[in-house]
Amino acid sequence: MAPKTKEKPRAASAPSQPPPAIEDLFTSLNRHIQRSEFTQAVKVANQVLSVAPGDEDAIRCKIVALIKADKVEDALSAIQSAQKVSFDFSFYKAYCLYRQNKLDEALELLEKQDKTQPSMLLESQILYRLGKMDASVDICRNLQRAKIDSLEINLVAGLVSAGRASEVQGTLDAIKIKATSSFELAYNISCSLIEGNKLKDAEQLLLTARRIGQETLTEENLADDDIENELAPIAVQLAYVHQLLGQTQEAVGAYTDIINRNLADEPSLSVAVNNLIAVKGPKDISDSLRKLDRLKEKDSQKFELARAIDLKLSPKQKETIYANRVLLLLHANKMDQARELVSVLPERFPDSVMPVLLQAAVLVRENKAGKAEEILGQFAETFPEKSKIILLARAQVAAAAGHPQIAAESLSKVPDIQHMPATVATLVTLKERAGDINGAATVLDSAIKWWKSAMTEDNQLSVIMREAASFKLRHGKEEEAAHLYEELVKGHGDTEALVGLITTVAHVNVEKAEAYEKQLKPLPGLKGVDVDALEKTSGAKPVDGASRGGLADAQEDGKTKEKPKKKRKRKPRYPKGFDPANPGPPPDPERWLPKRERSSYRPKRKDKRAAQVRGSQGAVVRDKSEPSASAANSSTSNPKSNQSTSSKGASQNTEPSRPQSKSSRKKSRK
C-alpha cells in the first residue's frame, strides 16, 4: 500500500548527526513500495519507527511489506509488538494465519471482525481452502455488487469445486462477462466444461487460454521461464483432457515433459505426477513411487507432502495423492509402509470415507477379511450419512471372502438401490448361497411391489416378474410362479411368459394349459406333428450326409442357392533373380538328405591287411570296436555327473512363476 505523506514533529537528535526528516523517510518508503522493493521498505519503516515509535502508518507499511516479502513469521511478530497501538491489526493477523495454513484460527479471528470487503474476500478464500465450497460461493455472490477485480475467477472456481458446474454459464451471462476476458477465467470455465463432459469444447478453450496468457504475460515483460510457470496449470489440464479423450500417448508425453523440465509450480507438478501414475497404473511401480517421493517433505522419513504443496492443494487433491501412494505400496507388497501411511490418514482427512476404505484394502491384502468387514460395519453405524459406499465395499469384501449372509445384509442396508435389477439379482444369489430361500423370495416380492407403483418410463416390472417366476418354479413354488406368468401374459402379452405359464400349469391343470396353448402362434413352415407317432419313436437318429441335405431341403421353397465365391488366383512368388522362363537344371531331390542316405553314397573300402594276424602264434587279437574294462568302469563309476546334468536340464525347462497384480485431477485454480 502507498502511505500518505504526513507532517510529523522532528524528534530531538544528537548534535553530531541529525536524523533525516520524517517527511523524507515517508517519501522514501512510498518509493520503495511502488517499486516492490519490500525489503528496503521494511528498513525505512524501521527508521520511521525509531524516530516516531507507535506510528500506525509505519507499522502498517512494515507489516504489509513483510507479507509481500513472504516473511509471514516476521509480520506476525510485528503485529504482536504493536498491541499497544489503538489500530486493530486483526485482519493482517488473519491473513498471516491463512498463509501459514492455520485456517480454523484465521476463520475464527475473521468472524469477530466487521464484514468489510477485504475481510469477506479473505473469508471466502479460507472457506475454499477448507473445502466448504458452497459457503465460499455465497460470499462471492454477495460481493458481486462491489465490483471487485477478478472476483468472477474465484466465483467460477468455487462453483466448479462445489459440483455446480452447470451454473457457470448462467452466472457469466448474469454478470455479462466473456469467458475469454482473462486466461485465468478461461481456465476455470474449461474445468466446468470438463465436469459436463464437453471435452472438445474444453480443449479449444484451454488452447485459447494459453494463447491469451502468453500474450498477457509477455506484455508484462515476464521471463520465458516465469511465463511457463504461470501457464503450467493450463498445460496440465490440457494433458488431462487428452487423457479423458483416450489420447493416452499424448497425455503421458505431456505429463512427462512437465515433470522432467521441473518448471511448473508446486500444485501443477504434483497434479502431473499424480495423473501420470494414474495413467500407468500398476506398471513400473518403483518409478511411480520415486516420482511421488519428489512431492514429500525432504527432511521427513515418512511420506508427507511438502509444505508448499500442502498449502496450495485442495483437500480432495491431497487425499487422491495419498490414496494413490497406498495403492502403489499394496501393488509393491510393501505392507509395513502401507499400514503406517493408512494409520495417519483418518486424522488428516476426518470428513472423508477414503481412509477407512484404504484401511480395509490393507486388511484384505493381509487375508484379514473378517477384520475389514468389522471396521467397515462400525464406520457405517457411526456415520450413517456416509454409509452407502462403505456398505457397498463391505458387501464386496464379504462376497469375495465367502460370507454371503454378511454381504446380503450389507447390501440390504442401502435403501435407494433395493429395487434396481442388478441389486435384486445380487441379493437373490447371495441369499441362495446362504440357504435363505424365503429371504430371496421376499426380495423379489418387494421389488415387484415397488415397480408396480413406480411411475417411470424405464419400467423393469416385466423383467423382475419373469425372473421371480423362474426362481419360484426352480424352488418348487409352482402356484406362485403360475400366478406371476399369468399376470405377465394378461398385462404385457409376453410370449416368453406364455410359454412359461403353459409349462408350469401343465403339471397341475392340463385343461388350463391347453386353453393357453391355443394362444401360441403356429411355427412357420410346420404343418402338423403326429404326437402319438413321435412318442413311440426312440428319437431321431443321425444319418451320414443327411444333416445338411435336410436343412437345405427345408429352405428350398422360394429361395435360390447362393453362388459359391470364386477364389482369386494369385501369381506365384519366385525367389529373387529367378527367371521362370529359363529355370535351368532342376535341383537335386536328395540335397537335404545326409550323405550316407543318398543313392550316390559309396562307403570307403576296408584295408584287408589290417586283419592279418601279427605277433606270436596263439595270441588273441581284440576287436577295436570292443570296449575295454577301464572304459566301462569310467562310464559307471561317477553317477554324480549324470545326476547334475539331468538336474540342470530340468532347471532349464522349469518356468518361474510370475506375480499377478490388478489394478485425479486438478479442478480449478484459485
Side-chain angles (χ1 to χ4, degrees), residues 468-482:
S470 176
F471 171 84
K472 292 178 183 295
L473 185 62
R474 190 166 62 249
H475 291 282
K477 300 181 179 182
E478 288 85 0
E479 293 183 3
E480 297 180 19

Side-chain angles (χ1 to χ4, degrees), residues 503-528:
T503 306
T504 306
V505 176
H507 295 84
V508 182
N509 192 340
V510 179
E511 295 179 357
K512 190 175 181 180
E514 291 178 348
Y516 277 110
E517 187 270 337
K518 295 178 181 178
Q519 298 181 18
L520 289 174
K521 296 180 180 180
L523 294 176
L526 187 63
K527 297 179 180 179

Side-chain angles (χ1 to χ4, degrees), residues 7-247:
E7 299 288 338
K8 290 284 181 180
R10 298 189 181 184
S13 60
S16 59
Q17 187 177 1
I22 196 168
E23 295 86 354
D24 297 338
L25 290 175
F26 270 100
T27 302
S28 177
L29 178 60
N30 183 40
R31 183 174 62 254
H32 288 310
I33 291 176
Q34 294 293 337
R35 294 177 179 176
S36 299
E37 299 170 351
F38 301 114
T39 304
Q40 297 297 326
V42 172
K43 294 180 180 179
V44 176
N46 287 332
Q47 292 180 4
V48 174
L49 292 174
S50 65
V51 176
D55 188 282
E56 294 181 5
D57 289 340
I59 296 174
R60 189 186 301 109
C61 290
K62 178 181 178 180
I63 294 171
V64 173
L66 287 170
I67 293 174
K68 291 284 189 180
D70 292 330
K71 298 180 180 180
V72 181
E73 291 287 347
D74 295 340
L76 282 173
S77 300
I79 294 171
Q80 187 69 23
S81 61
Q83 288 182 349
K84 298 180 181 179
V85 182
S86 59
F87 184 78
D88 187 8
F89 292 102
S90 298
F91 172 77
Y92 297 104
K93 183 178 180 180
Y95 183 79
C96 291
L97 293 173
Y98 163 74
R99 290 284 299 272
Q100 290 182 330
N101 208 33
K102 298 177 181 179
L103 304 178
D104 294 324
E105 297 180 31
L107 188 60
E108 182 181 356
L109 193 60
L110 280 178
E111 289 175 352
K112 300 177 182 179
Q113 306 299 315
D114 296 335
K115 297 296 182 181
T116 61
Q117 291 182 9
S119 65
M120 291 176 67
L121 190 59
L122 179 58
E123 184 180 0
S124 173
Q125 293 275 52
I126 294 172
L127 291 171
Y128 181 91
R129 189 76 66 83
L130 287 171
K132 301 177 181 180
M133 304 304 176
D134 291 324
S136 176
V137 169
D138 293 340
I139 294 177
C140 287
R141 289 194 183 280
N142 293 332
L143 290 172
Q144 284 182 0
R145 297 179 181 178
K147 297 182 180 180
I148 300 175
D149 292 339
S150 303
L151 180 65
E152 66 277 0
I153 298 175
N154 292 355
L155 179 57
V156 173
L159 287 172
V160 174
S161 300
R164 298 160 59 182
S166 59
E167 302 178 22
V168 170
Q169 189 58 48
T171 302
L172 294 177
D173 295 339
I175 60 181
K176 298 180 180 180
I177 293 181
K178 294 182 179 179
T180 56
S181 60
S182 66
F183 70 92
E184 296 97 336
L185 181 61
Y187 168 83
N188 284 347
I189 294 174
S190 70
C191 295
S192 69
L193 294 174
I194 294 172
E195 288 289 329
N197 203 28
K198 300 177 181 178
L199 302 179
K200 286 295 183 181
D201 295 340
E203 181 183 16
Q204 294 301 319
L205 189 56
L206 284 170
L207 293 173
T208 304
R210 184 171 63 182
R211 177 180 56 79
I212 296 173
Q214 288 175 345
E215 295 174 357
T216 303
L217 298 175
T218 303
E219 291 176 359
E220 296 178 2
N221 296 323
L222 266 70
D224 292 341
D225 290 348
D226 294 334
I227 293 175
E228 185 174 356
N229 189 34
E230 287 290 330
L231 300 180
I234 299 177
V236 176
Q237 200 73 334
L238 265 174
Y240 179 68
V241 171
H242 291 156
Q243 178 183 341
L244 294 180
L245 288 172
Q247 302 171 5

Side-chain angles (χ1 to χ4, degrees), residues 570-603:
R570 297 186 178 182
K571 296 181 179 180
R573 297 179 64 181
Y574 298 107
K576 186 177 181 181
F578 178 76
D579 185 7
N582 300 312
D588 184 8
E590 298 180 353
R591 62 188 182 280
W592 302 118
L593 295 176
K595 287 185 177 180
R596 292 186 178 183
E597 298 179 10
R598 298 180 187 180
S599 57
S600 58
Y601 175 72
R602 296 291 184 271

Side-chain angles (χ1 to χ4, degrees), residues 8 43 52 58 110 125 229-230 262 276 319 350 353 411 428 462 485-486 534 542 550 589 599 606 619 649:
K8 290 284 181 180
K43 294 180 180 179
L110 280 178
Q125 293 275 52
N229 189 34
E230 287 290 330
N262 203 20
L276 179 60
E319 180 186 11
V353 300
L411 204 56
V428 170
S462 59
Y485 279 134
E486 190 172 7
L534 186 62
S599 57
K606 294 183 179 181

Side-chain angles (χ1 to χ4, degrees), residues 431-490:
K431 288 184 177 294
E432 275 190 301
R433 289 183 181 178
D436 187 6
I437 304 302
N438 293 330
T442 303
V443 171
L444 290 167
D445 294 340
S446 300
I448 292 172
K449 183 179 179 181
W450 192 94
W451 283 106
K452 282 183 177 179
S453 59
M455 303 297 293
T456 59
E457 295 181 1
D458 186 20
N459 201 314
Q460 303 290 331
L461 179 59
S462 59
V463 177
I464 300 293
M465 290 181 67
R466 192 182 303 117
E467 294 299 326
S470 176
F471 171 84
K472 292 178 183 295
L473 185 62
R474 190 166 62 249
H475 291 282
K477 300 181 179 182
E478 288 85 0
E479 293 183 3
E480 297 180 19
H483 177 72
L484 290 173
Y485 279 134
E486 190 172 7
E487 190 175 350
L488 275 173
V489 171
K490 292 180 178 179

